[in-house]
């Protein structure tokens, strides 16, 4: 189990995320030797990305990024979105 330090607690409050859930997720993150940074999706809501650093057996959450323009789409919508973006 990793020791977790949260440096961006204000963002957790701002986005109204579950601090305990984030702590559990980061405590169980697998730390590979040589890894210095991590980026992972927040387990409770994939629109949030957790960003941080790994120092020995300590995981430091430094930032939380929120997806700005999220919209649900099926494969047909996705194909049309990509096609328009490519100018096809």
């Amino acid at each position: 189990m990793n020791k977790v330090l949260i440096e961006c607690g204000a963002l957790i409050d701002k986005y109204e995320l579950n601090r305990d859930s984030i702590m559990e997720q980061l405590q169980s993150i697998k730390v590979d030797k040589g890894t210095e940074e991590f980026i992972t999706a927040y387990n409770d809501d994939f629109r949030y990305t957790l960003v941080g650093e790994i120092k020995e057996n300590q995981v430091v959450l430094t930032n939380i990024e929120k997806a700005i323009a999220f919209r649900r789409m099926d494969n047909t919508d996705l194909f049309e979105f990509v096609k328009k973006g490519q100018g096809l």
Side-chain angles (χ1 to χ4, degrees), residues 36-54:
E36 295 177 2
E37 300 174 331
F38 71 89
I39 298 175
T40 187
Y42 172 47
N43 284 345
D44 292 351
D45 187 342
F46 65 90
R47 290 177 284 183
Y48 296 93
T49 302
L50 308 178
V51 181
E53 302 171 347
I54 298 173

Side-chain angles (χ1 to χ4, degrees), residues 17-71:
L17 303 178
N18 184 326
R19 183 181 299 269
D20 292 334
S21 179
I22 290 173
M23 290 293 287
E24 287 177 21
Q25 181 178 345
L26 296 180
Q27 285 173 343
S28 65
I29 197 169
K30 183 173 178 169
V31 178
D32 294 326
K33 279 193 169 186
T35 304
E36 295 177 2
E37 300 174 331
F38 71 89
I39 298 175
T40 187
Y42 172 47
N43 284 345
D44 292 351
D45 187 342
F46 65 90
R47 290 177 284 183
Y48 296 93
T49 302
L50 308 178
V51 181
E53 302 171 347
I54 298 173
K55 300 175 182 174
E56 296 177 15
N57 197 28
Q58 183 172 353
V59 176
V60 182
L61 181 64
T62 58
N63 200 1
I64 300 172
E65 297 287 333
K66 180 180 180 184
I68 296 170
F70 168 79
R71 70 178 197 209

